[in-house]
Amino acid sequence: MYTPLQKESRAPATCFGSATTQDVGSSHQDGLERECPRNTDRKLPGLYGVGDPTAMFSSDSSCLSSRGKVIKWFWDSAEEGYRTYHMDQYDEDKNPSGIINLGTSENKLCFDLLSRRLSQSDMLRVEPSLLQYPDWRGHPFLREEVAKFLSYYCKSPAPLKPENVVVLNGGASVFSALATVLCEAGEAFLIPTPYYGAITQHVYLYGNVRLAFVYLDSEVTGLDTRPFQLTVEKLELALQGAKSEGVKVKGLILINPQNPLGNVYSPRELQEFLGFAARHKLHVIVDEVYMLSVFEESLGYRSVLGLERLPDPQRTHVMWATSKDFGMSGLRFGTLYTENRDVATAVASLCRYHGLSGLLQFQMAQLLRDRDWINQVYLPENHSRLKAAHTYVSGELRALGVPFLSGGAGFFLWVDLRKYLRQGTWEEEMVLWRRFLDSKVLLSFGKAFECKEPGWFRVIFADKAHRLRLGMQRLRRVLEGKSQEAEDIPPHQDPGEQH
Amino acid sequence: MRASVLSNSLSRRGVHISTLYKSKFKSYEIYHRDKYHKVLNTSGFLNLSISENRLCTDLITERLCQSDMNYIEDVILQYPNSTGHPFLQAAVAQFLTCYCRAPHCLSVKNVVILNGCCAVFSALATVLCDPGDCFLVPVPFHYGFMFGSKFFAYIELIPVYLEKQTVLQFINADTQPLELNVRKLEQALHEARTRRKKVKGLLLTNPEKPTGDIYPKELLKEYLEFAKRHELHVVVDEIYMLSVFDESARFHSVLSLESLPDPNKTHVIWSPTKDFGISGLCFGVLYTQNEDVVSAMSPFGYLHSVSGITQYKLCRLLQDRDWINKVYLPTNRSRLWDAHAYVTEQLRQLEQQYNFKIIFHNRCSGLYMWINLKKLLEPCTFKEELLLHRRFRNHKLILCRGRSYMFKKPGWFRLTFAENPPQLKEAMHRFGKAIEEQKQHWIEKMLKDAIEAEPGDPTVPRRAWDQMSTSTEKVDPARNSAS
């Protein structure tokens, strides 16, 4: 039965991450306490923390319930940046001084390819069964295509089964449904940070599930070979830490390729993390939404579904969606693959509330089965454009002397702006974020990803050249302290401009 | 072993969700595995339990295939606004202004778009209520509402039983509505508060489902005044707004009222899915003047999102006033009327043929009728109702039974008539077969009771004697001679 989430009687170990589904950095309301104390008196400070979404809020909306007020407050504060952007969106003709969005993780490079493909005649079929109530798990024809698609692209050792596929209206819904069926209210998932902060809301809104953070350091210490490296030792420590705070951890969330870091876990690492979860009987939710957005082939990406053997197949659940890999965040299509029939059935029980139109299901099936178009047209072109955009933005950052991490997957760079903060505090991070926004470029600040220390920002590069150029100019201006009135270079002068 | 596997994988609430879903929506799953097809699967299930309008699929298909529907641009492929694309919000506001006959233009910013009315109510209940809070809901109401309330919003739905529920002696009840009145609401609220329940709101459906009743304007105002007096939210689900096919019936949307007693606490849910027969498009709308509610609903826009492509098509559909007014609505109403008349006639014939009364609740709105087959249940219990429900299923026909609607008395069934004529005909044929079998079963049971009892024994229902003496049905001579 549901029990209301109790406010923590002691100070929360960490603040409730305030990221949105679009991963846009937000501003914080004036007057609200933003700097939450870390638990420095703990045995192993700074390695773990548990989010408490009800830790702080204030709202005077008298018509809403207490729960409604929390939800509203959180949304208002988290979405401020995105709302500001929407009210003053850059348009090269109608609003050239508008805000450039380098904060939302979307791939805007291939709309031309997608529009063309989605407009072809095979996409336009309308039949009665598509207009009527479906099998809420997803139309069988679509689940078959998803199984085949994932078998192929994940290189699964054996064909994946349609009966293990459940279709929902986006990755957010998959998280929400899994949280509800795997956890009781108040229980938690472990998640390494920095992470895609919107997951906080996805698991909390209906599921009332919290996140227990595994803080990763930017400094490479001990046996680590790269910054923000996840290891089993860190997972063990975080799990113990959460338990010591009386939090029941039911699962582990892994995002692979990682958002915002853009790197991938090696097969060996995946096995280790899955082995850790199996030892502690934890479910593992693997979000592979950037699976086909690995533009550096040398990374050697491996899907969990491509591993020869899973330590605990009944507790391993993989999610994927078209929103990132096919650059169609607006189409709202996500899938869950799990061998656990009970989990699949329980999630399917909630699918009526996460349904997607039959017409869209048909189009997605058409898209996924078009191997030729995907392999010969879309993927090569997408990767090529991603690589070019990545090269441009990383070149600009290097020229500025700004350090960054770049994994070779996804649409983002994880940028180290610590040296630009007057002090290493969250307030200063927000000050810098606001300076970017005032200069009409929207980034995502590190606090939204529950980064351990202030000063990291996520910069999206999967956008058209003229917008990237303008965005980087504005970013440069802020970092070099130049005035806003300096003239922008007009957008269409570069002969190398993409489509 | 099975239980331990379940508890190892799922949380307790996960097990609860799954178990409840399987028991309550079993027929739905069965149907989807073996659906009737006029060519490919003539022995498949016909589903008259599902609240879908299948009468105008031809019209809607044709409209959705027109070229203006197929337009893809960047904004459609990108993350939409959490409350819906502005172009669709505007189309919805204009549509509702027109068809609800709103006295003033409805505002775009008051529109929230989610993927279905169940989703709208779940999200709304989550922001209006704390866990454990309650909504008053007139019975009958469908179990599906309860599922969302229980497993998403964690609220309780308190049934409010209608006036005439126990006085159902009428036949062809055109003139005796199942009437909700304010006295019943006051009573239900008082009882709930006595039990220390925190009632936050009232959920109304207008036209009502499954009865098809339409609230007169004055009664609607009374309900809103009641809610205001007690500081309750009112959520009005008007999903069958355009499915009123009796021209003499007058439907009044809440949005048509000149003024609302408490606009900040009045929230209207609507969807074109029933009115336009597009349930598979998964789309629902909330209209509320309360900005805080709109804002609090926004995060649910991702969990209950609608694809940009679907939003675009719906926008085109709702904007096409000519097609709606000149093609769709008149044809839809006419087909609903005919289908309703056909089923009514079939039921009357069955009454004649098998000499038993079917109690109708016969309204000219909505997609289904509410019938009571209690005269064929012996004893009249929910167990017998379930057995009859299974009998229909054995004849490959799925109906919705009254128990799913929280009804106190057994025997009620919901029968959708908005099905294509050939399928409807086949369905009614199967219905008749099941009724015949049930009647036979009933007679055998009566006879058995009669044989085992002494003549004049008051424990034998009087009607059994009457039935045996007047029945023209076949009776087993062997049994007859044994008495």
Side-chain angles (χ1 to χ4, degrees), chain A residues 62-63, chain B residues 189 193 199-202 224-234 262 265:
Chain A
S62 57
C63 286
Chain B
L189 179 62
R193 285 178 171 166
V199 179
K200 278 289 186 59
L202 168 65
L224 296 177
E225 289 293 347
F226 156 81
K228 178 169 172 133
R229 274 199 302 283
H230 297 285
E231 294 181 1
L232 302 179
H233 289 273
V234 183
D262 195 350
K265 287 192 169 149

mmCIF file of all heavy atoms in Angstrom, chain A residues 62-63, chain B residues 189 193 199-202 224-234 262 265:
data_model
loop_
_atom_site.group_PDB
_atom_site.id
_atom_site.type_symbol
_atom_site.label_atom_id
_atom_site.label_comp_id
_atom_site.label_asym_id
_atom_site.label_seq_id
_atom_site.Cartn_x
_atom_site.Cartn_y
_atom_site.Cartn_z
ATOM 1 N N SER A 62 -3.506 27.373 -3.038
ATOM 2 C CA SER A 62 -4.396 26.791 -2.045
ATOM 3 C C SER A 62 -5.255 25.682 -2.615
ATOM 4 O O SER A 62 -5.815 24.899 -1.877
ATOM 5 C CB SER A 62 -5.278 27.891 -1.462
ATOM 6 O OG SER A 62 -5.965 28.507 -2.539
ATOM 7 N N CYS A 63 -5.424 25.631 -3.942
ATOM 8 C CA CYS A 63 -6.297 24.611 -4.502
ATOM 9 C C CYS A 63 -5.614 23.269 -4.622
ATOM 10 O O CYS A 63 -6.252 22.243 -4.783
ATOM 11 C CB CYS A 63 -6.763 25.036 -5.899
ATOM 12 S SG CYS A 63 -7.985 26.337 -5.830
ATOM 13 N N LEU B 189 -21.481 12.575 1.360
ATOM 14 C CA LEU B 189 -20.384 13.376 1.909
ATOM 15 C C LEU B 189 -20.374 13.282 3.433
ATOM 16 O O LEU B 189 -19.329 13.084 4.062
ATOM 17 C CB LEU B 189 -20.536 14.828 1.460
ATOM 18 C CG LEU B 189 -19.479 15.804 1.960
ATOM 19 C CD1 LEU B 189 -18.100 15.422 1.454
ATOM 20 C CD2 LEU B 189 -19.809 17.236 1.520
ATOM 21 N N ARG B 193 -17.428 11.711 5.752
ATOM 22 C CA ARG B 193 -16.744 12.491 6.793
ATOM 23 C C ARG B 193 -16.889 11.857 8.158
ATOM 24 O O ARG B 193 -15.991 11.929 8.982
ATOM 25 C CB ARG B 193 -17.251 13.938 6.780
ATOM 26 C CG ARG B 193 -16.655 14.693 5.599
ATOM 27 C CD ARG B 193 -17.118 16.102 5.447
ATOM 28 N NE ARG B 193 -16.312 16.763 4.411
ATOM 29 C CZ ARG B 193 -16.631 17.922 3.840
ATOM 30 N NH1 ARG B 193 -17.729 18.555 4.202
ATOM 31 N NH2 ARG B 193 -15.852 18.451 2.918
ATOM 32 N N VAL B 199 -12.662 14.076 1.836
ATOM 33 C CA VAL B 199 -13.220 14.173 0.491
ATOM 34 C C VAL B 199 -12.739 15.458 -0.146
ATOM 35 O O VAL B 199 -12.939 16.546 0.379
ATOM 36 C CB VAL B 199 -14.763 14.132 0.520
ATOM 37 C CG1 VAL B 199 -15.311 14.269 -0.892
ATOM 38 C CG2 VAL B 199 -15.245 12.838 1.160
ATOM 39 N N LYS B 200 -12.099 15.334 -1.288
ATOM 40 C CA LYS B 200 -11.542 16.512 -1.946
ATOM 41 C C LYS B 200 -12.361 16.945 -3.151
ATOM 42 O O LYS B 200 -12.243 18.087 -3.608
ATOM 43 C CB LYS B 200 -10.111 16.231 -2.426
ATOM 44 C CG LYS B 200 -9.049 16.368 -1.357
ATOM 45 C CD LYS B 200 -8.851 17.818 -0.972
ATOM 46 C CE LYS B 200 -7.709 18.083 -0.015
ATOM 47 N NZ LYS B 200 -6.417 17.649 -0.529
ATOM 48 N N GLY B 201 -13.123 16.003 -3.712
ATOM 49 C CA GLY B 201 -13.825 16.407 -4.921
ATOM 50 C C GLY B 201 -14.936 15.476 -5.300
ATOM 51 O O GLY B 201 -15.205 14.451 -4.656
ATOM 52 N N LEU B 202 -15.593 15.870 -6.376
ATOM 53 C CA LEU B 202 -16.724 15.139 -6.940
ATOM 54 C C LEU B 202 -16.412 14.896 -8.408
ATOM 55 O O LEU B 202 -15.993 15.817 -9.125
ATOM 56 C CB LEU B 202 -17.977 16.010 -6.788
ATOM 57 C CG LEU B 202 -19.251 15.622 -7.539
ATOM 58 C CD1 LEU B 202 -19.797 14.297 -7.021
ATOM 59 C CD2 LEU B 202 -20.293 16.725 -7.406
ATOM 60 N N LEU B 224 -22.758 21.830 -8.842
ATOM 61 C CA LEU B 224 -21.621 22.741 -8.707
ATOM 62 C C LEU B 224 -21.760 23.583 -7.441
ATOM 63 O O LEU B 224 -20.778 23.842 -6.751
ATOM 64 C CB LEU B 224 -21.517 23.635 -9.948
ATOM 65 C CG LEU B 224 -21.220 22.916 -11.263
ATOM 66 C CD1 LEU B 224 -21.212 23.889 -12.436
ATOM 67 C CD2 LEU B 224 -19.885 22.199 -11.216
ATOM 68 N N GLU B 225 -22.977 23.987 -7.125
ATOM 69 C CA GLU B 225 -23.207 24.758 -5.898
ATOM 70 C C GLU B 225 -22.909 23.907 -4.661
ATOM 71 O O GLU B 225 -22.317 24.390 -3.701
ATOM 72 C CB GLU B 225 -24.677 25.229 -5.820
ATOM 73 C CG GLU B 225 -25.034 26.324 -6.814
ATOM 74 C CD GLU B 225 -24.322 27.633 -6.533
ATOM 75 O OE1 GLU B 225 -23.730 27.800 -5.437
ATOM 76 O OE2 GLU B 225 -24.313 28.498 -7.423
ATOM 77 N N PHE B 226 -23.339 22.655 -4.737
ATOM 78 C CA PHE B 226 -23.044 21.715 -3.637
ATOM 79 C C PHE B 226 -21.543 21.641 -3.410
ATOM 80 O O PHE B 226 -21.046 21.742 -2.288
ATOM 81 C CB PHE B 226 -23.624 20.341 -3.991
ATOM 82 C CG PHE B 226 -22.938 19.197 -3.278
ATOM 83 C CD1 PHE B 226 -23.267 18.883 -1.962
ATOM 84 C CD2 PHE B 226 -21.953 18.445 -3.907
ATOM 85 C CE1 PHE B 226 -22.626 17.848 -1.305
ATOM 86 C CE2 PHE B 226 -21.317 17.410 -3.257
ATOM 87 C CZ PHE B 226 -21.650 17.104 -1.947
ATOM 88 N N ALA B 227 -20.809 21.500 -4.505
ATOM 89 C CA ALA B 227 -19.355 21.373 -4.406
ATOM 90 C C ALA B 227 -18.760 22.639 -3.801
ATOM 91 O O ALA B 227 -17.881 22.590 -2.937
ATOM 92 C CB ALA B 227 -18.756 21.090 -5.782
ATOM 93 N N LYS B 228 -19.258 23.761 -4.250
ATOM 94 C CA LYS B 228 -18.720 25.028 -3.738
ATOM 95 C C LYS B 228 -18.979 25.172 -2.235
ATOM 96 O O LYS B 228 -18.118 25.584 -1.480
ATOM 97 C CB LYS B 228 -19.353 26.198 -4.478
ATOM 98 C CG LYS B 228 -18.816 27.483 -3.905
ATOM 99 C CD LYS B 228 -19.151 28.704 -4.692
ATOM 100 C CE LYS B 228 -18.695 29.886 -3.830
ATOM 101 N NZ LYS B 228 -17.976 30.846 -4.465
ATOM 102 N N ARG B 229 -20.171 24.804 -1.843
ATOM 103 C CA ARG B 229 -20.517 24.904 -0.410
ATOM 104 C C ARG B 229 -19.514 24.141 0.436
ATOM 105 O O ARG B 229 -19.167 24.540 1.534
ATOM 106 C CB ARG B 229 -21.906 24.294 -0.143
ATOM 107 C CG ARG B 229 -23.060 25.230 -0.338
ATOM 108 C CD ARG B 229 -24.308 24.725 0.377
ATOM 109 N NE ARG B 229 -24.758 23.407 -0.030
ATOM 110 C CZ ARG B 229 -25.408 23.131 -1.153
ATOM 111 N NH1 ARG B 229 -25.675 24.098 -2.019
ATOM 112 N NH2 ARG B 229 -25.783 21.895 -1.438
ATOM 113 N N HIS B 230 -19.109 23.014 -0.075
ATOM 114 C CA HIS B 230 -18.219 22.157 0.700
ATOM 115 C C HIS B 230 -16.778 22.260 0.249
ATOM 116 O O HIS B 230 -15.945 21.434 0.636
ATOM 117 C CB HIS B 230 -18.709 20.698 0.599
ATOM 118 C CG HIS B 230 -20.065 20.497 1.187
ATOM 119 N ND1 HIS B 230 -20.294 20.472 2.548
ATOM 120 C CD2 HIS B 230 -21.281 20.360 0.594
ATOM 121 C CE1 HIS B 230 -21.594 20.307 2.758
ATOM 122 N NE2 HIS B 230 -22.222 20.241 1.604
ATOM 123 N N GLU B 231 -16.468 23.272 -0.559
ATOM 124 C CA GLU B 231 -15.091 23.520 -1.032
ATOM 125 C C GLU B 231 -14.485 22.300 -1.707
ATOM 126 O O GLU B 231 -13.309 21.967 -1.482
ATOM 127 C CB GLU B 231 -14.201 23.965 0.143
ATOM 128 C CG GLU B 231 -14.638 25.313 0.676
ATOM 129 C CD GLU B 231 -13.758 25.802 1.823
ATOM 130 O OE1 GLU B 231 -12.794 25.089 2.179
ATOM 131 O OE2 GLU B 231 -14.043 26.870 2.344
ATOM 132 N N LEU B 232 -15.288 21.662 -2.510
ATOM 133 C CA LEU B 232 -14.802 20.492 -3.233
ATOM 134 C C LEU B 232 -14.457 20.866 -4.668
ATOM 135 O O LEU B 232 -15.087 21.751 -5.247
ATOM 136 C CB LEU B 232 -15.892 19.403 -3.288
ATOM 137 C CG LEU B 232 -16.441 18.881 -1.966
ATOM 138 C CD1 LEU B 232 -17.525 17.836 -2.253
ATOM 139 C CD2 LEU B 232 -15.346 18.272 -1.112
ATOM 140 N N HIS B 233 -13.496 20.178 -5.223
ATOM 141 C CA HIS B 233 -13.263 20.269 -6.660
ATOM 142 C C HIS B 233 -14.364 19.498 -7.370
ATOM 143 O O HIS B 233 -14.902 18.527 -6.811
ATOM 144 C CB HIS B 233 -11.919 19.644 -7.023
ATOM 145 C CG HIS B 233 -10.752 20.457 -6.568
ATOM 146 N ND1 HIS B 233 -10.211 21.478 -7.323
ATOM 147 C CD2 HIS B 233 -10.014 20.402 -5.431
ATOM 148 C CE1 HIS B 233 -9.197 22.021 -6.675
ATOM 149 N NE2 HIS B 233 -9.044 21.387 -5.523
ATOM 150 N N VAL B 234 -14.698 19.950 -8.573
ATOM 151 C CA VAL B 234 -15.610 19.168 -9.405
ATOM 152 C C VAL B 234 -14.882 18.851 -10.707
ATOM 153 O O VAL B 234 -14.400 19.759 -11.382
ATOM 154 C CB VAL B 234 -16.893 19.940 -9.762
ATOM 155 C CG1 VAL B 234 -17.828 19.038 -10.555
ATOM 156 C CG2 VAL B 234 -17.575 20.448 -8.516
ATOM 157 N N ASP B 262 -17.564 28.114 -8.748
ATOM 158 C CA ASP B 262 -16.182 28.098 -8.278
ATOM 159 C C ASP B 262 -15.259 27.726 -9.437
ATOM 160 O O ASP B 262 -14.838 26.575 -9.554
ATOM 161 C CB ASP B 262 -16.052 27.080 -7.126
ATOM 162 C CG ASP B 262 -14.760 27.262 -6.338
ATOM 163 O OD1 ASP B 262 -13.883 28.032 -6.781
ATOM 164 O OD2 ASP B 262 -14.629 26.636 -5.272
ATOM 165 N N LYS B 265 -12.119 25.661 -9.120
ATOM 166 C CA LYS B 265 -12.225 24.267 -8.707
ATOM 167 C C LYS B 265 -13.131 23.479 -9.641
ATOM 168 O O LYS B 265 -13.676 22.440 -9.243
ATOM 169 C CB LYS B 265 -12.741 24.176 -7.271
ATOM 170 C CG LYS B 265 -11.695 24.582 -6.247
ATOM 171 C CD LYS B 265 -12.118 24.203 -4.851
ATOM 172 C CE LYS B 265 -10.946 24.382 -3.909
ATOM 173 N NZ LYS B 265 -11.359 24.741 -2.581
#
